[in-house]
Amino acid sequence: FHHHFMPPNFYGFAPPATLFVIDLDHFKQINDNLGHEAGDAVLVATAERIRQAIRASDTVARYGGDEFVVLVVDILNEADVLGLGEKLCNLLREPVPWRASVLQATCSLGIALCPDNGESFNALFQQADRAMYQVKERGRNGAALADAN
């Protein structure tokens, strides 16, 4: 994943890019109450839904536990970025079929823009992660854009 963040002068320019950090809300409760098989069903559905929502040129990775990162290139304005964030939240909010029932999960999503919030993976991740925690503090189940540096 980090190889997507070559120094800007490697390409001769810094293309606009957006990093989304997605954390599933209350995921631990699904694992603790229903078992890891249920948690795995939610993770697989999450990954599939994210892949369906982004372009083939974009990148998605499970970053750990219940956290995913998405790198989207060439989104030029905040309205489009926030629109994709809301689309991802809505998709991940849909029920996940599991056995004879369904599982419900929501997500908290933070968004950082390159170059506004940084030009390295670490800088963008830090800003998107901070925005994601702001969503959690406001009650979860939503998206927020990182503050400009």
Side-chain angles (χ1 to χ4, degrees), residues 42-56:
V42 171
L43 292 172
V44 168
T46 298
E48 289 174 358
R49 290 171 183 179
I50 293 171
R51 267 192 241 119
Q52 291 171 0
I54 62 173
R55 304 166 299 186

Side-chain angles (χ1 to χ4, degrees), residues 14-18 55 72-81 113-114 116:
T18 304
R55 304 166 299 186
V72 177
V73 295
D74 295 330
I75 293 186
L76 299 177
N77 64 60
E78 289 182 10
D80 290 343
V81 168
L113 303 172
C114 176
D116 296 357

Side-chain angles (χ1 to χ4, degrees), residues 6-144:
M6 298 299 287
N9 60 359
F10 179 82
Y11 296 107
F13 66 101
T18 304
L19 186 71
F20 295 83
V21 173
I22 304 168
D23 187 77
L24 298 178
D25 299 327
H26 306 295
F27 179 77
K28 185 177 181 327
Q29 290 177 351
I30 293 172
N31 269 344
D32 289 351
N33 295 335
L34 300 172
H36 291 280
E37 189 177 335
D40 289 349
V42 171
L43 292 172
V44 168
T46 298
E48 289 174 358
R49 290 171 183 179
I50 293 171
R51 267 192 241 119
Q52 291 171 0
I54 62 173
R55 304 166 299 186
S57 60
D58 300 326
T59 304
V60 61
R62 182 174 170 208
Y63 200 66
D66 62 343
E67 194 165 74
F68 292 81
V69 291
V70 180
L71 175 66
V72 177
V73 295
D74 295 330
I75 293 186
L76 299 177
N77 64 60
E78 289 182 10
D80 290 343
V81 168
L82 287 169
L84 179 56
E86 288 301 321
K87 177 181 178 180
L88 289 168
C89 286
N90 289 335
L91 285 171
L92 300 183
R93 194 177 296 127
E94 292 179 8
V96 176
W98 187 69
R99 295 188 178 169
S101 63
V102 294
L103 304 171
Q104 193 75 45
T106 60
C107 74
S108 296
L109 188 150
I111 306 166
L113 303 172
C114 176
D116 296 357
N117 299 117
E119 293 186 13
S120 70
F121 174 81
N122 289 339
L124 291 170
F125 183 85
Q126 182 180 29
Q127 294 297 317
D129 195 55
R130 185 174 295 139
M132 182 263 299
Y133 274 101
Q134 289 172 351
V135 172
K136 288 190 175 293
E137 289 171 5
R138 291 192 311 250
R140 304 175 192 267
N141 191 23

